[in-house]
Amino acid sequence: MAASPPILSPTPANPLVQALQAHPAAAPALALPTDPTLPPVVDQAKRLMLGDGELLRQMADAAAGLAVSLAMAGVILVGTVWAADWASRLVARAIGRAHRRGPPDTTLMSFAASLVRYIVIIVGLIAMLGQLGVKTTSVIAVLGAASLAIGLALQGALSNVAAGVMLLILRPYRVGDSVEIAGKAGTVRGLDLFSTRLSSSDNLSVHVPNSKVFGDTIVNMSSPVSRQVTLDFVIDYEDDVDRALLTLLACAGADPKVKDQPVPWARMTAMGERGVTVSLRAWFAVADFDGGRYDLMKAVRERLEAEGFTFPYPQQVAVEARKFEPPHSRRARSEAPSGARAKLAAKSAAPARPRRAKG
């Protein structure tokens, strides 16, 4: 007789497995069929109202992914703003340290700091758009096309920008310098990417485009250590030229604003119609140039007058025009008696009669 197989007793179930099977969330989600006759948005709304578990789970996953992407984009944005400020301050400090021997160039510092800040912000915005799922290659292509169109439309403005960058690199003048640019003289008050702002001697604000500044002659009157002034004086031919030259040098030596080096120079420079020209050349500091020139001119004039020198003035000669008379007519008029003289004068004043033609 064959032995019957042993009866296996059921193994006790795992309590954790039983709890998960009993939980309603463990049950498979109910997926409702789609209705092709309805628009996709309306169909999804209908399925949500009927409790489509699969659609709910997909929406929950999408919302979670969007939340993570937004959080990362926010972190990138905050980091970009912080990095832009940090980089701009770093560049400003580096430029300030590069000018240890003199005062820092505030114009170059502000321009470089702003440029670095904008570059960092643009890079950060592109990274943020990439985190949100935007194709950065398309964004870069659109920006390139837009920059090309803007560059063609704003050629004049971009030429000013290019000239402004070159002026900031070459630094022919700085803020506070006295310059003469494109026929305009004044003190530089500001320099940006588009124009240079000057303050003239009569307190007018003059804006010169950078393209005109870069393409024209620039005269910087503040860059040299000292400036030379030449004063010309005309004295009479009868005056002593050597004594006049010594007087000019004495006036230059007595002026405290005149520099000792280079030594003042005085020579006879011309011989004109009215007199002899003697010239004085002296050097002043840049800050004392205008006032020192006028004061020295006044002192030399007063000293020459006190020494007895004369300044020839322009003279005018009056010429009276009379009617021409031959010498014999004047002699006959003087020798004739008074009655005949009157008749002669009346005859000379009478008009001549026309002659008749012989027929």
Side-chain angles (χ1 to χ4, degrees):
M1 181 174 179
S4 60
I7 300 174
L8 299 176
S9 60
T11 57
N14 192 347
L16 181 59
V17 175
Q18 292 178 358
L20 291 175
Q21 293 177 354
H23 199 275
L30 180 61
L32 298 178
T34 59
D35 190 356
T37 60
L38 297 176
V41 178
V42 177
D43 181 59
Q44 291 180 2
K46 179 181 177 182
R47 291 167 60 189
L48 287 176
M49 293 177 63
L50 295 177
D52 190 344
E54 184 67 21
L55 185 58
L56 288 173
R57 186 169 61 246
Q58 292 178 2
M59 292 186 63
D61 295 341
L66 180 60
V68 173
S69 298
L70 289 176
M72 292 299 297
V75 171
I76 293 175
L77 180 60
V78 174
T80 299
V81 174
W82 177 84
D85 294 338
W86 177 80
S88 62
R89 291 194 300 268
L90 179 64
V91 171
R93 287 197 300 268
I95 296 176
R97 292 175 181 176
H99 296 79
R100 290 182 177 179
R101 296 182 179 180
D105 191 350
T106 57
T107 305
L108 182 59
M109 290 172 59
S110 61
F111 169 73
S114 300
L115 182 62
V116 171
R117 181 184 295 108
Y118 292 144
I119 292 175
V120 174
I121 289 176
I122 291 173
V123 173
L125 290 177
I126 293 176
M128 185 183 68
L129 292 176
Q131 180 63 35
L132 293 176
V134 180
K135 294 183 179 180
T136 56
T137 55
S138 302
V139 174
I140 295 175
V142 171
L143 290 177
S147 62
L148 178 60
I150 294 173
L152 293 176
L154 301 175
Q155 293 182 2
L158 292 180
S159 64
N160 290 329
V161 173
V165 172
M166 294 302 299
L167 290 174
L168 288 171
I169 294 174
L170 299 177
R171 308 306 297 162
Y173 53 84
R174 301 175 183 273
V175 176
D177 290 350
S178 296
V179 297
E180 183 178 352
I181 301 174
K184 303 294 182 180
T187 304
V188 180
R189 298 303 182 190
L191 172 63
D192 53 25
L193 291 178
F194 295 97
S195 64
T196 298
R197 188 175 73 256
L198 303 178
S199 178
S200 61
S201 58
D202 51 355
N203 201 24
L204 295 178
S205 182
V206 181
H207 294 262
V208 185
N210 286 335
S211 59
K212 190 173 182 62
V213 173
F214 190 69
D216 209 329
T217 304
I218 301 174
V219 180
N220 193 333
M221 294 173 284
S222 298
S223 57
V225 179
S226 57
R227 293 183 60 185
Q228 174 188 293
V229 60
T230 302
L231 302 178
D232 298 328
F233 300 92
V234 180
I235 60 176
D236 195 82
Y237 275 102
E238 298 180 357
D239 292 334
D240 189 354
V241 176
D242 294 333
R243 191 162 62 91
L245 297 178
L246 293 177
T247 304
L248 296 180
L249 293 176
C251 293
D255 194 334
K257 295 181 180 179
V258 176
K259 287 182 169 294
D260 297 333
Q261 295 294 333
V263 180
W265 176 93
R267 294 290 189 277
M268 184 182 71
T269 55
M271 298 176 62
E273 298 179 355
R274 297 184 290 114
V276 178
T277 302
V278 290
S279 300
L280 172 64
R281 295 178 183 177
W283 294 82
F284 292 90
V286 175
D288 301 332
F289 179 77
D290 289 332
R293 176 179 57 176
Y294 301 140
D295 295 341
L296 181 60
M297 185 185 303
K298 181 176 179 295
V300 171
R301 179 182 180 277
E302 293 176 352
R303 183 70 175 272
L304 289 176
E305 288 182 347
E307 293 288 339
F309 291 92
T310 56
F311 300 98
Y313 298 96
Q315 298 178 0
Q316 296 181 354
V317 178
V319 179
E320 182 180 0
R322 296 180 180 179
K323 185 178 179 180
F324 174 75
E325 294 184 14
H328 60 84
S329 300
R330 280 182 281 181
R331 184 168 56 253
R333 181 181 301 177
S334 61
E335 294 176 356
S338 59
R341 189 180 304 173
K343 292 180 180 180
L344 182 61
K347 183 178 180 181
S348 60
R353 297 180 181 180
R355 297 181 178 179
R356 294 182 180 179
K358 296 181 179 179

